[in-house]
Amino acid sequence: MSGGADGSLTVLGLMSGTSVDAIDTALVRFARDSADPAVLRGEILATGEQPWDPGLRGEILAALPPAPADAGTWCRLHALTGRAFARAARSALGASGERADLVVSPGQTLFHGVEDGRAWGTLQVGDPAAVAAATGLTVLSDVRSADIAAGGQGAPLVPLLDELLLGDEPSAVLNIGGIANCSIVGAGEVVAGDTGPGNALLDAAVLRASGGRAHVDVDGRLAARGTIDEELLAALLADPFYALAFPRSTGREHFDADHVDRCAARAGLTRRTDLPLEDLLATLVELTARTIARAVADLGRGRGLRRVVGSGGGMRNPVLRARLAELLDPLPLCGPESAGLPSDAKEAVLMALIGAMSAHGLPGVLARADGSAVTGARRPVVLGSWTPAPAGGLALPSLPRRGPVRRLLLSPLHSEETS
């Protein structure tokens, strides 16, 4: 990997979140600022998305907890999702007409193991060798395991991007995918973690009620017609996860298709499991909105927050977004576009940024004042595992080491491609 003659590095970031709705792509060219090496400049060359094949998406969802899955299922999904990421990468590069130096392909999360507030392991499928073979490029994958090995949560990783890009003023930065997370940046030491479910429970409820024919409440239309069940909401809010201290992480293994039933049963509300779908969705939207707003209030207390910056699929749900805006008032709720970041491509840009950091031998997580990482790890570590390009092998890094990055400046997207 040589990078550009000017010391730049062009990275293709791929990302499929816990909603398993599409593989997002972002091609970003990074270079140190000539006047201030602590500033990293990023030019977004292209963004896009590759929808999942419906059959493969169904297989992935069927393998998620609480469904049982054996080693053969995981192996099959590792191969098939690797080919899907390979197609997405090749399509993105072909559509952009640009050359990349490396690809970051983190895979599709099937399980994130957390016990007593500590992460013990994580499983992402998506063979990086398939991506390397399809693109001819070096691939960075498995971006969470190194942080977990150092005692961290392995998630969320997005505070790196949040602080470097949006830390110019005190902000709460949200990403609402299947699981929602929050970072408090620009206000002293960064604190971050998962707030709870984003779209995961909503999507699971639609999937179950439709017998697999539908996966999402489009534009929140069903939830908008429903009535919140306050007793069920109280039972859901009593889940022990919300009492865990930050940093914390979770996933569909906790907020799975049976989560509502378990919470209702613990509260003696078994009759609530047959609520009309509209009422159940209205209740789950309120759960997501309240737990996010509570996290922002708790984490941001005394920090002088001036804004809440939101992205992810949940921000496209007008019912959820409106309720969040009400609960967060008087803080304004906005998107990240003013900082040059397309909202729908945020996590793919994050993966590209992690690739650039790892290529420079720099940690992909932020440090605290005591030397630990914001993920809870004993120290910030370089993230990921490298799969060499099929020809030319692995030469890392051949880029100048210029110390840590303190700020990221993104140039506005000048051409947007859809893969």
Side-chain angles (χ1 to χ4, degrees):
M1 182 192 310
S2 61
D6 59 354
S8 66
L9 185 73
T10 301
V11 186
L12 176 64
L14 308 176
M15 185 65 189
S16 175
T18 49
S19 294
V20 200
D21 49 5
I23 300 173
D24 296 326
T25 64
L27 188 65
V28 188
R29 180 177 294 127
F30 295 100
R32 295 285 189 133
D33 186 84
S34 57
D36 184 357
V39 174
L40 185 66
R41 291 189 174 274
E43 179 185 4
I44 301 179
L45 304 175
T47 67
E49 67 176 27
Q50 178 75 45
W52 283 100
D53 172 81
L56 178 54
R57 182 176 190 267
E59 288 190 56
I60 294 170
L61 293 173
L64 297 177
D70 57 20
T73 299
W74 294 330
C75 184
R76 172 180 168 80
L77 290 177
H78 186 55
L80 292 179
T81 58
R83 294 170 196 166
F85 278 105
R87 287 191 296 271
R90 189 166 52 192
S91 177
L93 291 172
S96 72
E98 299 280 353
R99 174 188 173 277
D101 297 300
L102 69 99
V103 180
V104 182
S105 183
Q108 179 64 55
T109 297
L110 290 190
F111 195 90
H112 188 72
V114 180
E115 188 173 349
D116 297 327
R118 295 183 62 86
W120 52 263
T122 189
L123 176 64
Q124 286 77 41
V125 294
D127 185 4
V131 181
T135 62
L137 299 172
T138 295
V139 176
L140 185 74
S141 62
D142 191 23
V143 298
R144 302 186 188 276
S145 293
D147 183 74
I148 291 176
Q153 294 284 325
L157 299 178
V158 74
L160 173 73
L161 176 60
D162 292 341
E163 171 67 7
L164 295 182
L165 183 65
L166 298 166
D168 56 326
E169 65 177 292
S171 307
V173 189
L174 307 175
N175 189 71
I176 310 173
I179 301 298
N181 58 64
C182 176
S183 307
I184 304 297
V185 302
E189 193 163 84
V190 174
V191 61
D194 289 342
T195 65
N199 305 315
L201 297 181
L202 292 161
D203 293 350
V206 172
L207 187 68
R208 174 183 286 183
S210 68
R213 293 184 302 276
H215 301 276
V216 64
D217 178 16
V218 178
D219 293 332
R221 294 168 190 163
L222 294 174
R225 299 202 299 263
T227 300
I228 296 169
D229 187 304
E230 294 292 347
E231 286 186 309
L232 178 59
L233 178 61
L236 293 167
L237 287 169
D239 185 88
F241 172 79
Y242 302 116
L244 295 175
F246 285 81
R248 66 190 189 197
S249 64
T250 189
R252 285 179 179 263
E253 62 285 335
H254 183 84
F255 293 103
D256 60 21
D258 292 338
H259 180 78
V260 175
D261 294 347
R262 289 195 301 271
C263 290
R266 283 199 298 265
L269 301 174
T270 52
R271 66 184 180 85
R272 293 302 199 282
T273 60
D274 60 356
L275 276 178
L277 179 60
E278 291 88 347
D279 294 349
L280 177 57
L281 293 175
T283 304
L284 294 176
V285 165
E286 184 70 10
L287 172 71
T288 293
R290 284 203 202 179
T291 51
I292 291 173
R294 179 190 297 174
V296 171
D298 290 345
L299 295 175
R301 188 170 291 113
R303 299 288 194 104
L305 296 182
R306 297 177 188 170
R307 62 181 179 179
V308 179
V309 182
S311 61
M315 287 289 285
R316 296 195 298 269
N317 181 329
V319 179
L320 175 56
R321 181 164 183 160
R323 183 60 179 137
L324 263 179
E326 290 176 358
L327 293 172
L328 294 168
D329 185 66
L331 287 174
L333 176 62
C334 59
E337 291 81 5
S338 62
L341 179 62
S343 177
D344 289 344
K346 181 181 178 182
E347 290 191 297
V349 172
L350 167 66
M351 289 301 121
L353 174 61
I354 287 174
M357 299 293 280
S358 294
H360 282 84
L362 296 172
V365 291
L366 296 170
R368 291 169 165 163
D370 63 3
S372 65
V374 297
T375 56
R378 293 181 295 276
R379 63 190 182 282
V381 294
V382 179
L383 300 180
S385 300
W386 294 102
T387 299
L394 188 66
L396 290 171
S398 57
L399 300 166
R401 291 175 180 258
R402 298 180 179 174
V405 174
R406 305 294 185 194
R407 189 88 172 91
L408 172 65
L409 298 177
L410 283 179
S411 300
L413 179 65
H414 65 258
S415 65
E416 185 163 341
E417 305 289 348
T418 300
S419 304

